Amino acid sequence: MNLTDIGEFGFIESFATKFDHLIKEGDRGIGDDCAVLSINNTTNHVITTDLLIEDIHFLKDKISAKELGYKSLAVNLSDIAAMGAQPLYSFLSLGIPKDTPVEFLDGFMEGFYQLSEKYHTPLMGGDTTKSADKLVINVAVVGSVEKSKMHLRSMAQTGDLVCVSGFLGDSGGGLKALLEPYEVDANLHKLINRHHQPEPQILEGLFLGKSEHVHAMMDVSDGISSDLKHILKASKKSARIDKEKLPASPLLAEVSEKQQWNLTELCASGGEDYELLFTVKPEEFESLNQEFVAKFGKPLYVIGKIEEGPAEIQWYKDGQSIMLDKLGFNHFGG
Ligand code: ADP
Ligand code: MG
């Protein structure tokens, strides 16, 4: 058997519980967007780490050094946002091929600094080594959250609405524009920008985290068709998702029509949008949304509902059950 038979998540599951007995009460290990460390009766620290490898997560000739530095931190801050937490510190480790221009590294650090400054998250340490021929980037971020305001993937309740904090699919569209030989016009450029400079939903996560009516929460890194399943598995629930409710930006809708892209597939499985995916008590959605619009100038989107049943997504179109074949991103398949 090799890794493609069990996939990324099969591999993680194969060792995750082995460490459970070493984890002290109040802490949480593998399985959520961040690990949780209880530091006192009222506060948790949360920790996340993500790895980006050249030619797997980015193409050095397509992304600028500054964008790469920005994105490396952004994808980690997104996991902090997913817990409803405030970022505190970051750590950066780099494996660098020896022919890398110093100008590239300066640009990378400038992008990393720009986002650090925006969310008051100082870089506190890391490691730098030589790499054979690919650039390897590992970032870790520590955050802090009041215990009562922390949101786990396991908190979804039957009857909850399933919501997202913004448009889905733009980043996937940007990736398509990068990988296929399109002539990049202004619209494709905007989508590529969404792929290269995702905005971590830190303030939105803190706002949603404060509400006792928001239950499960995570960030959308692999596409909701894959990510929502993590909430369903952790919460032991099922979900009904209405295909026509997946929020596509007018920009993506326009480009998809022109290029004949499958808009639903991009919204469901595109990945790397780094919006928040969460569940909320249905009676409380309207007032939550009104407050959200007043604060952030954009709405929340309801895409479906949590139900009792197996941890699977049931897809609907115009009230009819349908099949969606494209799954979210899972390294190694499985
Ligand atoms: P995210 O997309 O939110 O970063 P992942 O899907 O990458 O989360 O990972 C799922 C869970 O598995 C997380 O809790 C993560 O910390 C854990 N995990 C992933 N890879 C490893 C590993 N090699 N060792 C320990 N835990 C891991
Ligand atoms: Mg995540």
Side-chain angles (χ1 to χ4, degrees):
M1 191 164 59
N2 69 35
L3 197 46
T4 51
D5 298 317
I6 57 170
E8 174 189 353
F9 299 113
F11 169 61
I12 296 168
E13 274 169 26
S14 73
F15 60 80
T17 54
K18 198 179 166 86
F19 295 82
D20 281 354
H21 68 285
L22 300 174
I23 297 175
K24 93 174 171 1
E25 212 187 311
D27 294 353
R28 301 180 72 95
I30 296 167
D32 225 296
D33 292 285
C34 293
V36 179
L37 310 185
S38 171
I39 59 160
N40 59 38
N41 286 340
T42 56
T43 310
N44 285 327
H45 276 176
V46 294
I47 302 183
T48 183
T49 180
D50 262 307
L51 186 60
L52 285 89
I53 296 186
E54 181 181 344
D55 292 345
I56 305 290
H57 299 94
F58 62 91
L59 300 166
K60 222 161 53 180
D61 58 344
K62 303 273 185 188
I63 189 167
S64 75
K66 196 168 163 187
E67 288 168 334
L68 185 59
Y70 179 101
K71 185 168 179 177
S72 304
L73 180 59
V75 302
N76 282 272
L77 289 180
S78 179
D79 279 322
I80 298 287
M83 308 300 284
Q86 174 82 50
L88 294 178
Y89 312 112
S90 76
F91 295 82
L92 168 65
S93 296
L94 295 169
I96 308 171
K98 67 173 185 306
D99 57 357
T100 305
V102 172
E103 292 75 23
F104 180 91
L105 298 172
D106 287 347
F108 178 93
M109 290 315 304
E110 182 53 33
F112 195 96
Y113 172 76
Q114 223 176 53
L115 195 59
S116 304
E117 199 182 31
K118 182 164 182 184
Y119 293 106
H120 307 286
T121 307
L123 175 62
M124 301 290 277
D127 197 12
T128 304
T129 73
K130 188 164 74 180
S131 160
D133 60 350
K134 304 285 181 210
L135 179 62
V136 178
I137 304 160
N138 176 242
V139 177
V141 177
V142 181
S144 170
V145 58
E146 247 180 73
K147 285 189 174 172
S148 61
K149 292 176 182 151
M150 190 179 68
H151 293 270
L152 301 173
R153 295 176 176 184
S154 57
M155 290 174 167
Q157 295 181 18
T158 302
D160 278 358
L161 298 177
V162 179
C163 305
V164 285
S165 62
F167 296 130
L168 300 172
D170 280 0
S171 178
L175 181 61
K176 245 173 128 59
L178 280 176
L179 296 182
E180 292 169 28
Y182 293 107
E183 201 173 305
V184 176
D185 61 11
N187 278 350
L188 287 182
H189 189 76
K190 281 184 205 158
L191 291 178
I192 291 171
N193 208 38
R194 295 269 288 157
H195 183 70
H196 282 162
Q197 291 199 275
E199 187 62 36
Q201 303 291 295
I202 292 291
L203 301 180
E204 292 83 347
L206 287 167
F207 169 84
L208 294 168
K210 271 194 307 198
S211 167
E212 58 178 312
H213 307 300
V214 170
H215 297 147
M217 188 151 75
M218 71 180 295
D219 69 323
V220 186
S221 52
D222 297 342
I224 57 156
S225 60
S226 165
D227 287 332
L228 179 57
K229 281 192 197 149
H230 296 308
I231 287 184
L232 301 180
K233 261 189 158 173
S235 301
K236 301 191 172 62
K237 302 287 180 198
S238 187
R240 172 200 164 125
I241 300 296
D242 296 294
K243 170 183 177 294
E244 61 271 22
K245 290 188 182 160
L246 298 177
S249 66
L251 171 68
L252 185 66
E254 188 187 326
V255 173
S256 296
E257 196 173 322
K258 182 172 167 196
Q259 307 289 356
Q260 304 208 308
W261 291 349
N262 184 332
L263 186 60
T264 306
E265 189 181 304
L266 275 172
C267 292
S269 315
E272 297 213 69
D273 286 307
Y274 299 103
E275 293 293 342
L276 295 171
L277 170 67
F278 61 98
T279 78
V280 60
K281 198 172 165 184
E283 307 83 285
E284 305 297 333
F285 176 77
E286 269 319 315
S287 63
L288 184 78
N289 188 39
Q290 273 175 23
E291 254 191 90
F292 190 87
V293 170
K295 206 168 162 59
F296 299 107
K298 60 177 185 177
L300 297 167
Y301 298 91
V302 176
I303 59 170
K305 200 170 153 193
I306 297 291
E307 297 179 341
E308 287 293 312
E312 292 292 337
I313 304 174
Q314 311 150 57
W315 290 95
Y316 278 76
K317 186 188 174 213
D318 304 324
Q320 301 286 316
S321 176
I322 55 160
M323 295 288 286
L324 265 201
D325 47 13
K326 189 90 197 285
L327 300 174
F329 198 71
N330 170 359
H331 289 259
F332 318 113

